[in-house]
């Protein structure tokens, strides 16, 4: 019991994933990009089921960035259709497994049908207590900080808050996923080493794991590999390694 508690404490509480490389994976197989997006859905399924088995508190998956609207119209259209189809086909299973689904991002740009599907899926799973699965769609880290800033500015405008009293904690409470721990581990597939405007505030101290495999190749084993790498990192939060060791010895 003692050992399994210690092990659970070492696991990341919040894992964020930039699911990249669908297009290149499809191209390497001589197929159209959309083939890669469709195959990417099974990697999402495997990831969610493995994270749930490990009792990870939250997984946040970057599905569509605020910049992805710049892609060719037909690819954006196909991604939206896929999003609706997957929401409809997977939501019952997520609910049955006690998982909570949330979509983070600026949802106002989605068509009405998709917004309705999202609201229904979120409502159905709202009271579930298992792993929280956040899907970032039309999400941008800068948008997130901006919308938090606007909420605080409103409070200043109505006289409920003094500008000089704004704290980092208040911003943390107004960015998305304020009820969840900050991201401990960020994973990005496909060999790219950048954040691409994913969470900025919530990833301030995340460990970052960049791997060469394309997203459709991601599975339980690759997730475990990333988590094992994370457990072996020494997280210092600005302290020296000696201070962290002393703290561990004191506990
Ligand atoms: C990630 O794969 C999925 C989305 C951004 C929707 P990409 O579509 O970016 O694939 P590559 O990077 O072009 O290979
Ligand atoms: C980031 O991937 C967004 C998602 C995975 C949804 P992109 O493939 O769009 O990122 P860039 O444009 O290469 O940085
Ligand atoms: Mg990409």
């Amino acid at each position: 019991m003692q050992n399994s508690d210690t092990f659970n404490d070492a696991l990341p509480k919040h894992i964020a994933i930039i699911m990249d490389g669908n297009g290149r994976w499809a191209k390497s197989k001589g197929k159209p990009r959309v083939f890669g997006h469709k195959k990417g859905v099974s990697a999402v399924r495997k990831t969610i089921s493995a994270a749930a088995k490990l009792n990870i508190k939250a997984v946040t998956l970057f599905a569509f960035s605020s910049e992805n609207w710049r892609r060719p119209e037909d690819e954006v259209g196909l991604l939206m259709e896929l999003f609706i189809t997957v929401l409809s086909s997977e939501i019952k299973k997520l609910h049955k497994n006690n998982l909570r689904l949330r979509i983070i991002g600026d949802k106002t740009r989605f068509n009405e049908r998709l917004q309705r599907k999202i609201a229904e899926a979120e409502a159905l799973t709202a009271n579930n207590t298992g792993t929280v699965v956040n899907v970032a769609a039309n999400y941008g880290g800068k948008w997130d900080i901006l919308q938090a800033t606007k909420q605080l500015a409103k409070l200043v405008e109505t006289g409920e808050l003094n500008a000089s009293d704004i704290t980092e904690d208040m911003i943390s409470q107004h960015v998305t996923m304020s009820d969840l721990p900050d991201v401990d581990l960020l994973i990005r597939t496909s060999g790219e080493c950048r954040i691409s405007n994913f969470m900025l505030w919530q990833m301030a101290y995340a460990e970052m794991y960049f791997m060469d495999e394309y997203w459709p190749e991601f599975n339980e084993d690759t997730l475990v590999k990333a988590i094992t790498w994370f457990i072996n990192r020494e997280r210092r939060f600005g302290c020296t390694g000696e201070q962290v060791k002393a703290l561990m010895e004191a506990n």
Side-chain angles (χ1 to χ4, degrees):
M1 190 64 201
Q2 169 93 47
N3 280 345
S4 80
D5 279 354
T6 313
F7 178 67
N8 285 338
D9 284 347
L11 290 175
K13 290 177 183 59
H14 189 168
I15 302 176
I17 308 182
I18 303 179
M19 311 184 289
D20 198 12
N22 291 352
R24 278 164 286 164
W25 179 83
K27 199 173 166 203
S28 75
K29 303 256 178 271
K31 300 272 185 6
R33 292 177 59 83
V34 63
F35 182 70
H37 296 317
K38 286 186 178 156
K39 188 75 188 167
V41 176
S42 43
V44 170
R45 259 186 227 116
K46 291 176 194 163
T47 306
I48 294 174
S49 114
K53 273 190 236 159
L54 286 169
N55 254 326
I56 304 290
K57 172 110 185 109
V59 178
T60 303
L61 304 167
F62 206 4
F64 192 87
S65 76
S66 44
E67 288 72 33
N68 286 146
W69 297 104
R70 295 177 192 152
R71 293 190 177 199
E73 213 175 300
D74 58 341
E75 182 169 344
V76 171
L78 277 164
L79 282 168
M80 292 301 144
E81 275 310 309
L82 191 61
F83 198 24
I84 295 182
T85 314
V86 173
L87 259 184
S88 312
S89 65
E90 300 293 313
I91 191 62
K92 284 204 184 89
K93 203 172 116 204
L94 291 176
H95 184 46
K96 204 175 116 227
N97 290 320
N98 192 30
L99 304 180
R100 185 164 175 199
L101 181 76
R102 291 198 306 206
I103 310 299
I104 56 156
D106 183 359
K107 294 172 231 180
T108 58
R109 193 158 168 191
F110 296 134
N111 68 40
E112 241 170 72
R113 185 166 149 238
L114 183 49
Q115 288 193 40
R116 202 175 50 243
K117 286 258 171 232
I118 289 173
E120 283 166 10
E122 288 183 332
L124 180 69
T125 62
N127 296 320
N128 292 348
T129 53
T131 299
V132 181
V133 178
N134 303 295
V135 175
N138 192 21
Y139 178 85
K142 289 186 179 180
W143 164 82
D144 201 350
I145 296 171
L146 175 66
Q147 65 80 26
T149 308
K150 283 183 180 168
Q151 290 183 54
L152 290 172
K154 264 240 150 74
L155 296 175
V156 173
E157 209 171 62
T158 55
E160 288 163 78
L161 179 67
N162 288 323
S164 55
D165 292 337
I166 296 175
T167 60
E168 288 185 6
D169 270 352
M170 286 180 197
I171 299 178
S172 297
Q173 281 156 22
H174 287 86
V175 290
T176 57
M177 298 174 288
S178 54
D179 58 327
L180 295 172
D182 274 354
V183 175
D184 301 298
L185 169 63
L186 167 77
I187 301 170
R188 182 171 190 149
T189 54
S190 89
E192 308 299 346
C193 301
R194 55 178 177 266
I195 299 180
S196 300
N197 195 20
F198 199 17
M199 283 174 270
L200 299 172
W201 189 269
Q202 303 90 331
M203 290 203 323
Y205 256 107
E207 297 285 343
M208 300 194 181
Y209 185 81
F210 298 102
M211 51 184 281
D212 287 334
E213 287 91 339
Y214 294 133
W215 177 250
E217 297 164 321
F218 197 87
N219 57 30
E220 290 87 351
D221 291 343
T222 31
L223 180 68
V224 167
K225 207 166 132 197
I227 292 177
T228 309
W229 172 87
F230 170 85
I231 291 174
N232 289 312
R233 301 292 308 160
E234 184 184 22
R235 303 183 84 201
R236 298 198 192 95
F237 297 101
C239 310
T240 66
E242 285 72 22
Q243 283 175 298
V244 176
K245 276 193 201 109
L247 186 70
M248 269 163 53
E249 276 155 24
N251 284 331

